[in-house]
Amino acid sequence: MRSDTAAGSTTVSKPPLAAFLPRDPTITLLGVLIVVAGIIFSLLAPSRFLSGDTVRAMAFQMPELGILSLAMMVPLMSGGLNLAIIATANLSALVMAGILTHLIQPSSSSLAVAEAILIALLAGMGTSLIIGFLTGIIVAFFGVHPILVTLGTMTLVKGISVLTTSGTVIGGFPPAILFLGNGILFGVPASLIVFVVCAGIVGVILTHAPFGVSVRLLGSNERATRYSGVPTEWVLVGVYVFSGLLCWVAALVMMARFNSASAGYAESYLLITILAAVLGGVDPFGGFGRVVGLLLSLVLLQVISTGFNLLGFSPYLTAAIWGATMILAILIALVRDQWLARFWLGRKTR
Amino acid sequence: MLQNGLTLVGVSSYSFGLVTGLVILVSVSATAYAARRQRKRSLRHAI
């Protein structure tokens, strides 16, 4: 490492390898883990892991978990949590499915189908926004911890879904909806495009929009944010409304992929969304986190899942490996931070 | 206990989630609201 001193200012240039690495060490670590996992699975299943079919399957599987993880990431950044994301997405999907199957008949004209889709989309979005708004109101104005509120919301919303459908599945949607889950646009799955667009929007909002900055400040220090003149209560309401909106997009992708909606879909994703967010560098106490980290952690989890699936391992073992990956990532980060602290302390005292 | 009571009353098992969720939300909101009011009252007394 070289140190240049000019006109009283000291600039420390990076070593050649470090110049090519991202500034965020979490991003570097995740990138390295993805490459290592990719190399291992390519060696163990050479003909299958790097095939086009596998990559396409991974691209189709990732978006729904990805959008749900984004819906979890936003409350996590504010220092909260939303346990109701899956229940919200399922109720939203059921509302849309109910309207679509009720309004669209085999003899319906294309205009009637378009109208039904528009009504269903608006109703599904409204449902998610109302759930998010009510959750936000209770969290922000009653001062109840988000875990308790969203646990109640989750149970209540799932209860409504089960009560209205008696636990049955609603299916049979028009091709325009199904395209979103199974269609391919310019060689890329449409659902992946939706996910990338959502990730881009969330990333821009969290880093550049006043709302996103307020969310991060709120997650870092709620009292200081309030004394800075930020209406923290309404920012919190906005957090859960935004999370609800992302749940609606996830609902749309899920119902399009499965060609059905149910009260019990994707329940196993709930804790995985927290895993993906925390693995991606989102601070579980709020304030810090990047969408790029979340994307990379999703890719890593998907690579591990697909690799183990190709090798014929049990999906239960895959879940255990995901957990082990997170523990490994935390340990590596811990050792790295300690090493860096010692390194910089050594430089200062020298 | 809640679910046993609902079964004895003859409520459909499909409604259990709805009732349980409502009970959780109402109880945590009421507890938090009462704690907040008490905190405000004790602050007023202190002033």
Side-chain angles (χ1 to χ4, degrees), chain A:
Chain A
M1 196 175 280
R2 187 168 53 89
S3 186
D4 302 325
T5 308
S9 68
T10 307
T11 53
V12 179
S13 64
K14 284 181 172 183
L17 179 65
F20 293 100
L21 296 174
R23 279 183 203 164
D24 189 344
T26 310
I27 307 292
T28 315
L29 177 63
L30 286 169
V32 170
L33 285 175
I34 290 169
V35 172
V36 169
I39 290 170
I40 291 171
F41 289 124
S42 303
L43 292 173
L44 292 173
S47 57
R48 287 178 297 165
F49 186 72
L50 288 176
S51 70
D53 287 342
T54 308
V55 174
R56 206 169 301 124
M58 283 162 70
F60 270 110
Q61 284 165 12
M62 209 169 55
E64 58 205 51
L65 177 62
I67 300 169
L68 286 168
S69 300
L70 288 171
M72 182 61 87
M73 181 192 180
V74 179
L76 274 174
M77 293 277 286
S78 73
L81 190 74
N82 189 358
L83 294 176
I85 52 168
I86 308 290
T88 306
N90 279 334
L91 183 61
S92 179
L94 282 169
V95 167
M96 289 190 278
I99 291 172
L100 285 172
T101 49
H102 189 74
L103 291 182
I104 299 175
Q105 309 298 330
S107 58
S108 297
S109 64
S110 48
L111 188 68
V113 171
E115 268 180 26
I117 290 174
L118 187 66
I119 293 168
L121 292 182
L122 289 176
M125 185 164 65
T127 307
S128 294
L129 292 181
I130 288 169
I131 296 168
F133 181 75
L134 291 176
T135 308
I137 288 285
I138 299 175
V139 171
F141 291 99
F142 285 77
V144 188
H145 197 283
I147 290 182
L148 291 174
V149 179
T150 54
L151 180 73
T153 319
M154 176 184 77
T155 318
L156 175 69
V157 171
K158 197 187 170 193
I160 295 170
S161 301
V162 171
L163 184 67
T164 48
T165 59
S166 303
T168 54
V169 171
I170 303 176
F173 307 129
I177 292 284
L178 298 181
F179 178 79
L180 208 58
N182 304 300
I184 290 177
L185 211 65
F186 309 117
V188 181
S191 53
L192 188 67
I193 294 173
V194 173
F195 168 50
V196 171
V197 169
C198 284
I201 291 170
V202 173
V204 168
I205 287 176
L206 284 178
T207 48
H208 293 99
F211 169 71
V213 176
S214 301
V215 170
R216 282 163 45 210
L217 285 173
L218 189 65
S220 300
N221 192 329
E222 195 252 344
R223 192 168 290 178
T225 311
R226 197 187 310 143
Y227 289 153
S228 308
V230 176
T232 49
E233 279 91 357
W234 287 109
V235 171
L236 261 182
V237 173
V239 163
Y240 289 93
V241 169
F242 192 30
S243 177
L245 190 67
L246 288 164
C247 288
W248 168 66
V249 182
L252 204 56
V253 171
M254 270 185 347
M255 64 184 274
R257 207 162 87 82
F258 304 143
N259 192 16
S260 61
S262 158
Y265 280 165
E267 281 184 331
S268 61
Y269 282 168
L270 183 61
L271 294 179
I272 298 170
T273 56
I274 302 174
L275 169 77
V278 176
L279 185 64
V282 177
D283 189 339
F285 300 106
F288 303 96
R290 289 175 68 189
V291 172
V292 180
L294 178 74
L295 292 180
L296 288 176
S297 78
L298 285 165
V299 171
L300 177 65
L301 293 176
Q302 191 61 55
V303 165
I304 292 171
S305 169
T306 307
F308 275 90
N309 193 25
L310 287 175
L311 295 174
F313 284 73
S314 157
Y316 301 111
L317 181 70
T318 307
I321 297 294
W322 281 357
T325 310
M326 182 158 160
I327 293 169
L328 179 74
I330 290 170
L331 284 177
I332 291 174
L334 202 72
V335 171
R336 181 202 61 210
D337 289 349
Q338 281 179 353
W339 182 82
L340 278 176
R342 245 181 254 157
F343 176 75
W344 286 111
L345 209 69
R347 275 180 67 89
K348 270 189 176 178
T349 50
R350 219 177 286 160

